[in-house]
Amino acid sequence: MLEPDPHFAEFVAERGDALLRYGYVLAGNPHDAADLVQEALLKLRAAWPRLRRKENAESYARTTMARLHIAAWRLRRRERLVWDLPELEHHDQVPDGDEQRMWQAVAGLPRKQRAVLVLRYYEQLADAEIAAVLGISSGTVRSQAARALDKLRTAIPTEPMPRGNLR
């Protein structure tokens, strides 16, 4: 358990309201803003003895709040909450021949290439986000995607588009 620190208590008393306003601007509602402030202050309190420049403690707290907000936003954007339960059961369609071949070809890709394609086209992540998730560089993301798409193009031949009048 951490010993009480009067300097930390002074910081919270002086800058707590400003942090709450910053949290409100980030989150858009007072409840999430209070949660952001509370979590950031907990992290700041744990790091307080190691903090070299205590005059920049508010900057540390604001950065922590922004990162916490982004992390929560990333989790929530993948969820889709609805009030009404579905009335009918949902059964996925069995893929037809072309789709079946596509999924088999995707399943046959190396793991990293498959992960890059799924994150890019299914999860709609940008190259930088994919790089962060997989722990690789953005250049590696692009090269893995290009290699995977080349393999898919050779595995699944497509018919050329007809030339001429498209009316």
Side-chain angles (χ1 to χ4, degrees), residues 24-166:
Y24 185 81
V25 170
L26 277 177
N29 69 65
H31 307 292
D32 290 340
D35 289 344
L36 284 174
V37 172
Q38 183 176 10
E39 293 225 10
L41 289 176
L42 284 171
K43 290 181 181 293
L44 179 60
R45 178 61 185 110
W48 192 260
R50 298 185 313 272
L51 208 60
R52 290 188 198 134
R53 299 179 61 191
K54 292 190 178 18
E55 66 273 2
N56 287 340
E58 186 172 357
S59 175
Y60 178 92
R62 286 176 183 256
T63 301
T64 302
M65 289 170 64
R67 289 180 180 163
L68 288 168
H69 176 66
I70 289 169
W73 175 76
R74 283 184 178 151
L75 286 174
R76 279 191 288 232
R77 81 172 178 182
R78 290 189 178 100
E79 294 178 357
R80 185 169 170 256
L81 302 176
V82 294
W83 287 102
D84 301 325
L85 295 175
E87 293 179 17
L88 302 173
E89 292 183 30
H90 174 74
H91 297 284
D92 289 335
Q93 282 185 310
V94 176
D96 64 7
D98 289 341
E99 288 180 59
Q100 186 80 26
R101 284 193 308 249
M102 174 62 86
W103 284 113
Q104 287 172 344
V106 169
L109 292 173
R111 290 173 54 190
K112 191 183 287 185
Q113 291 177 5
R114 188 170 59 240
V116 166
L117 289 186
V118 167
L119 292 172
R120 178 181 276 178
Y121 296 106
Y122 188 75
E123 292 291 326
Q124 301 287 319
L125 296 181
D127 288 350
E129 293 173 310
I130 296 169
V133 168
L134 297 178
I136 57 178
S137 71
S138 294
T140 302
V141 169
R142 289 188 292 277
S143 68
Q144 291 292 311
R147 288 183 186 136
L149 291 173
D150 285 342
K151 286 182 182 182
L152 290 177
R153 284 185 193 105
T154 59
I156 303 168
T158 59
E159 295 180 22
M161 294 287 288
R163 292 182 181 242
N165 204 351
L166 296 177

